[in-house]
Amino acid sequence: MDDCIFCKILKGEIPSDKVYEDELLYAFRDIAPAAPVHVLIIPKEHIESANALNAEHKELLGHIVLTAAKIAKDLGVAEDGYRILNNCGKNAGQTVFHLHFHLLAGDEFKNLV
Ligand code: 5GP
Ligand code: ZN
């Protein structure tokens, strides 16, 4: 998708602070962190939102959650806890229409939801 910010990040056209990458996923620090640890985990495939998911994405979704847990461990926040969050659509506050999961951790995120 030519006008998608996260596709541009994947292509290296917009710089990002990478924390993890494999053949299916890319994870990087949120530019406007809402918590001391705020990482975005995105599929390399452009998927607009959770509304565009289907049964073929089951494996990808499992991989995203397992990777979020691995990143939390690697960043040293797994023990104290973290939140994995997806905003779908405008009423949930989705602003970037490339599927992404927020990984939030640290002392100051507890009152988000
Ligand atoms: P949403 O509100 O769609 O769930 O989350 C989009 C997130 O992407 C926001 O937390 C926002 O700060 C982040 N974001 C938007 N543009 C950029 C960018 O260019 N770089 C990075 N690292 N994060 C971005
Ligand atoms: Zn995209």
Side-chain angles (χ1 to χ4, degrees), residues 1 4-8 10 45-47 97-98:
M1 290 296 264
C4 170
I5 295 172
F6 288 174
C7 283
K8 285 183 180 166
L10 287 170
E45 176 188 353
H46 179 89
I47 300 167
F97 283 78
H98 180 129

Side-chain angles (χ1 to χ4, degrees), residues 14-89:
I14 295 175
S16 61
D17 187 359
K18 168 171 136 175
V19 298
Y20 176 86
E21 182 173 15
D22 64 29
E23 66 282 1
L24 294 174
L25 303 181
Y26 186 71
F28 55 104
R29 305 260 181 190
D30 195 293
I31 203 166
V37 171
H38 189 169
V39 171
L40 300 172
I41 302 164
I42 66 173
K44 289 189 170 174
E45 176 188 353
H46 179 89
I47 300 167
E48 278 217 352
S49 76
N51 281 339
L53 291 168
N54 60 52
E56 287 176 11
H57 296 115
K58 276 183 186 175
E59 200 167 320
L60 173 70
L61 290 167
H63 185 51
I64 288 172
V65 175
L66 290 173
T67 301
K70 174 188 162 31
I71 293 170
K73 209 175 271 180
D74 291 347
L75 295 180
V77 296
E79 200 65 20
D80 284 343
Y82 54 90
R83 179 169 295 148
I84 301 165
L85 184 139
N86 168 254
N87 293 321
C88 179

